Amino acid sequence: TRAYCHMQLKDYVAAAGDLEEQVRFKPDDDWAWAELGRAYGLLKRYEESEAALKRAIKLKPDDPYAHYQLGLVYLMSGRASEAIPYLQTTVRLEPGNKEAKKLLDAAVAETSAKPASAASSPAAAPARTIRSLSPSRKAGTCRRLRGMTKYQPRRKAKRRRA
């Protein structure tokens, strides 16, 4: 989708716009809600991100990606104690997810190292860990989106006659 390509190109504003349109037409699309939450989180629109990710989790409670993203958003907004249950769920659903385990350890360390009042400030988030572990879904290549209004499949090269 275009939204996915925008995310790969780090154009989060355009991705959020495309995903908002997608959830308007398909309100039961858990993937779109999770990606919209991720886009909002990367734009530092944490309240909207939280709402979108909770909607994704409500639609598909066993989705480790949505739980991971919500935990990440809580960490980025300085709410490490709220991130812990979502990261624990991610680790439970995906035991091999090393990134979630590292973030969970960072969240636990953050909450145990700081008093409750200091842990709730946005400056308290383990920013370096978050940036280094921010996930990206791998897929095919995305072409530059200039002038692209809808999905355009690759065209096969014409054969030359000898």
Side-chain angles (χ1 to χ4, degrees):
T1 66
R2 281 188 328 149
Y4 178 81
C5 290
H6 286 300
M7 292 292 279
Q8 292 295 309
L9 296 170
K10 298 184 186 326
D11 186 358
Y12 305 122
V13 173
D18 286 342
L19 289 162
E20 287 168 353
E21 186 176 328
Q22 188 169 343
V23 297
R24 199 173 313 121
F25 289 108
K26 294 173 88 178
D28 293 335
D29 187 350
D30 60 282
W31 176 85
W33 282 107
E35 285 298 305
L36 180 60
R38 179 175 175 224
Y40 283 153
L42 291 166
L43 292 169
K44 297 180 178 18
R45 294 165 58 182
Y46 299 126
E47 289 178 14
E48 294 165 288
S49 177
E50 179 182 356
L53 288 164
K54 284 186 175 182
R55 177 79 182 261
I57 290 170
K58 183 179 178 184
L59 291 170
K60 190 174 178 186
D62 60 343
D63 182 12
Y65 181 74
H67 285 276
Y68 178 85
Q69 288 299 322
L70 187 53
L72 190 61
V73 165
Y74 282 139
L75 281 174
M76 290 189 318
S77 62
R79 297 162 29 190
S81 62
E82 294 178 60
I84 292 172
Y86 293 99
L87 294 171
Q88 287 173 334
T89 302
T90 303
V91 171
R92 182 178 49 79
L93 294 171
E94 274 187 344
N97 189 332
K98 293 178 184 176
E99 293 176 355
K101 287 179 183 176
K102 286 181 183 178
L103 278 181
L104 178 59
D105 292 343
V108 169
E110 186 68 28
T111 56
S112 63
K114 302 275 184 192
S117 61
S120 63
S121 71
R128 180 176 294 164
T129 304
I130 292 169
R131 276 193 289 278
S132 68
L133 296 176
S134 184
S136 62
R137 290 188 171 180
K138 295 179 182 176
T141 60
C142 290
R143 285 182 233 107
R144 292 285 173 189
L145 296 170
R146 292 180 204 156
M148 186 174 162
T149 56
K150 62 181 182 177
Y151 174 73
Q152 299 172 347
R154 288 188 177 178
R155 295 187 179 137
K156 294 181 180 178
K158 293 182 181 179
R159 292 184 182 183
R160 290 185 171 180
R161 291 187 175 178

